[in-house]
Amino acid sequence: MQAIGSSGHGRLCFNHCHHSLSSKFLSPSSSPSLLPQRCHSVCIPKLGTTTENGRGRGVTVRALGEEEEDSNENFAPLAPVELESPVGQLLEQILRTHPHLFPVTVDEQLEKFAAENETLKADSSSSSQDVLSKRISEVRDKDRRKTLAEIIYCLVVQRFVEKGISMIPQIKPTSDPAGRIDLWPNQEEKLEIIHSADAFEMIQSHLSSVLGDRTAVGPLSSIVQISKIKLGKLYAASAMYGYFLRRVDQRYQLERTMNTLPKRPEKTRERFEEPSPPYPLWDPNSLIRIQPEEYDSDEYAIQRNEDESSSYGLRSYVTYLDSDTLQRYATIRSKEAMTLIEKQTQALFGRPDIRILEDGKLDTSNDEVLSLSVSGLAMLVLEAVAFGSFLWDSESYVESKYHFLKA
């Protein structure tokens, strides 16, 4: 059995024992919040689907009048992260009022970035460029990458909109008598069908590692308590897991379609013997795990006589990959994607109140304890996995239009 933990630089680590997940969400030395102080959240008046559009047509957005601005206040935010850049706010407005124009607007902005990047490369190759010009170029590049991150985020939000899924709003105290924070609608079915059957099987294992046996936990309406820091850490970890899972599932589905899956390696029962979590809601420090498929020696003996490259499950496919390939697929490719996971987590739960003591230990005495139902906790995890999956899709789409990932 292999475990997946997290290490620095946006990487999930695969090994044969549990490791702590180091998340920027918990980093006491992380940079000050990049979240804006004044701007509108991404929102739309009605959930719907966007359509494919032709290219080559510009988009003109007129300024909102006072009456329109007042009416927009009645719209519930669609996503918790507030956008700062002019481009991000433009996409927010288009996604809200003219979602059918959203794809072509994104493409035009990415084409503009690509043209600007070519110009910058030409200027930087000139030996006559002075210090001031270089500094200006650096500032512009920083602003462009910040805008690029918000474009990716808008694409993620668009995916939720297309699927008719309302994202969980910022976690705040409620008037619920039991103190529950999970007053959002149950959308488990919508969050399940966005994944392939093979991927969702692994997501169920991920949920089991978080909740334990649901029958042992009790009814879905049962109230559980968990610290705010752990809940934020769980969300960030699940988003990273969703990112990894979508990435490896795409490769698996392609190889299975082309009938190029690697041959089944020799299996031994001992390889899979590892104790289950002793209790539900166990520490999310080591909750991301790859559970192998059930092993049956008689069934496997029959399978070995068949075509050894025949189809098998995604879970087995992951366990058959070598460690270098696993590490590569578990690495979040861009700083923009890692920043978005951090910002999404902080937008939901706020910045963690953590202090470093003189002896180097972390002081979390100001941490809050939150109450939510088992169903609400499952919803939170499923949304995080979906966020990570959509983040992979959006990052890949942007890379196909504007090459920003380092080789």
Side-chain angles (χ1 to χ4, degrees):
M1 184 179 302
Q2 292 179 311
I4 307 178
S6 167
S7 62
H9 309 295
R11 172 171 297 181
L12 297 179
C13 299
F14 293 75
N15 40 55
H16 295 277
C17 60
H18 305 312
H19 284 278
S20 296
L21 173 70
S22 301
S23 170
K24 283 189 176 181
F25 176 77
L26 293 179
S27 174
S29 59
S30 59
S31 57
S33 176
L34 297 177
L35 297 180
Q37 299 302 316
R38 293 184 182 178
C39 59
H40 301 289
S41 299
V42 177
C43 54
I44 60 171
K46 181 179 180 181
L47 290 177
T49 58
T50 59
T51 58
E52 295 295 329
N53 281 273
R55 298 170 54 97
R57 178 176 297 180
V59 177
T60 302
V61 178
R62 63 185 178 85
L64 290 175
E66 291 183 2
E67 294 182 359
E68 289 172 310
E69 288 181 345
D70 291 339
S71 65
N72 284 338
E73 294 179 359
N74 298 324
F75 294 121
L78 181 65
V81 173
E82 298 174 339
L83 305 178
E84 294 180 304
S85 71
V87 172
Q89 293 176 355
L90 170 65
L91 292 175
E92 165 199 340
Q93 176 66 13
I94 293 174
L95 187 58
R96 182 196 308 146
T97 59
H98 301 87
H100 60 287
L101 297 178
F102 182 85
V104 68
T105 309
V106 169
D107 287 352
E108 287 180 350
Q109 187 59 48
L110 295 177
E111 288 176 357
K112 179 181 177 182
F113 278 176
E116 291 176 352
N117 192 48
E118 291 300 322
T119 302
L120 285 175
K121 287 182 179 179
D123 292 342
S124 62
S125 62
S126 175
S127 58
S128 61
Q129 188 179 33
D130 56 27
V131 176
L132 179 59
S133 298
K134 290 182 179 179
R135 177 56 181 163
I136 293 175
S137 297
E138 291 173 357
V139 172
R140 288 178 177 174
D141 182 65
K142 183 178 180 180
D143 289 342
R144 183 164 53 253
R145 297 195 76 91
K146 179 179 178 181
T147 301
L148 191 65
E150 294 197 352
I151 292 175
I152 296 174
Y153 187 79
C154 287
L155 286 167
V156 171
V157 174
Q158 184 206 23
R159 295 297 301 277
F160 278 98
V161 172
E162 287 179 333
K163 304 300 181 181
I165 302 172
S166 299
M167 296 180 71
I168 294 173
Q170 182 182 5
I171 304 297
K172 295 180 179 179
T174 66
S175 57
D176 183 77
R180 284 179 49 188
I181 61 169
D182 58 312
L183 301 182
W184 47 78
N186 189 313
Q187 303 177 97
E188 282 195 41
E189 184 176 350
K190 292 181 180 180
L191 290 166
E192 290 173 3
I193 62 177
I194 63 176
H195 306 283
S196 69
D198 298 280
F200 187 68
E201 180 186 1
M202 293 183 64
I203 293 171
Q204 286 180 313
S205 296
H206 177 69
L207 271 175
S208 296
S209 66
V210 176
L211 301 175
D213 184 357
R214 289 198 183 190
T215 59
V217 173
L220 295 180
S221 58
S222 300
I223 304 299
V224 296
Q225 293 187 326
I226 184 171
S227 78
K228 196 173 188 179
I229 289 178
K230 280 190 175 181
L231 198 57
K233 187 177 182 181
L234 170 60
Y235 190 96
S238 298
M240 295 173 72
Y241 182 69
Y243 181 98
F244 155 78
L245 197 57
R246 179 58 63 91
R247 186 177 188 178
V248 74
D249 186 40
Q250 285 184 354
R251 167 172 164 166
Y252 166 74
Q253 299 296 343
L254 177 62
E255 291 199 32
R256 186 169 70 170
T257 301
M258 299 179 65
N259 198 28
T260 58
L261 288 172
K263 295 181 180 180
R264 295 173 179 269
E266 291 292 335
K267 296 196 277 188
T268 59
R269 185 180 298 271
E270 290 76 12
R271 179 184 178 186
F272 301 139
E273 290 182 353
E274 188 171 331
S276 306
Y279 51 88
L281 298 179
W282 59 311
D283 189 356
N285 284 343
S286 53
L287 60 88
I288 300 183
R289 301 154 60 86
I290 301 297
Q291 300 280 0
E293 293 179 318
E294 291 296 328
Y295 172 69
D296 186 297
S297 58
D298 295 332
E299 179 183 356
Y300 181 61
I302 296 175
Q303 289 175 343
R304 288 186 60 186
N305 294 326
E306 300 176 354
D307 181 9
E308 292 189 340
S309 64
S310 60
S311 177
Y312 46 80
L314 175 62
R315 193 184 305 173
S316 292
Y317 176 78
V318 172
T319 62
Y320 298 161
L321 296 177
D322 61 86
S323 58
D324 290 340
T325 302
L326 284 174
Q327 289 291 356
R328 179 164 56 87
Y329 273 76
T331 301
I332 294 183
R333 298 180 295 178
S334 67
K335 292 181 180 179
E336 288 78 9
M338 194 66 211
T339 297
L340 289 177
I341 292 177
E342 176 188 6
K343 293 182 73 171
Q344 173 72 7
T345 304
Q346 291 187 0
L348 283 172
F349 304 99
R351 292 185 63 85
D353 189 356
I354 300 177
R355 293 176 297 173
I356 302 179
L357 303 177
E358 294 181 356
D359 58 1
K361 295 182 179 179
L362 299 180
D363 177 16
T364 60
S365 57
N366 293 329
D367 188 17
E368 301 177 45
V369 176
L370 303 177
S371 299
L372 69 167
S373 66
V374 174
S375 176
L377 181 59
M379 265 284 297
L380 197 70
V381 172
L382 287 174
E383 184 198 271
V385 174
F387 182 88
S389 299
F390 292 159
L391 182 59
W392 164 261
D393 293 338
S394 302
E395 182 189 57
S396 300
Y397 179 79
V398 170
E399 170 64 14
S400 70
K401 302 291 182 178
Y402 168 63
H403 301 299
F404 72 103
L405 296 176
K406 296 181 179 179

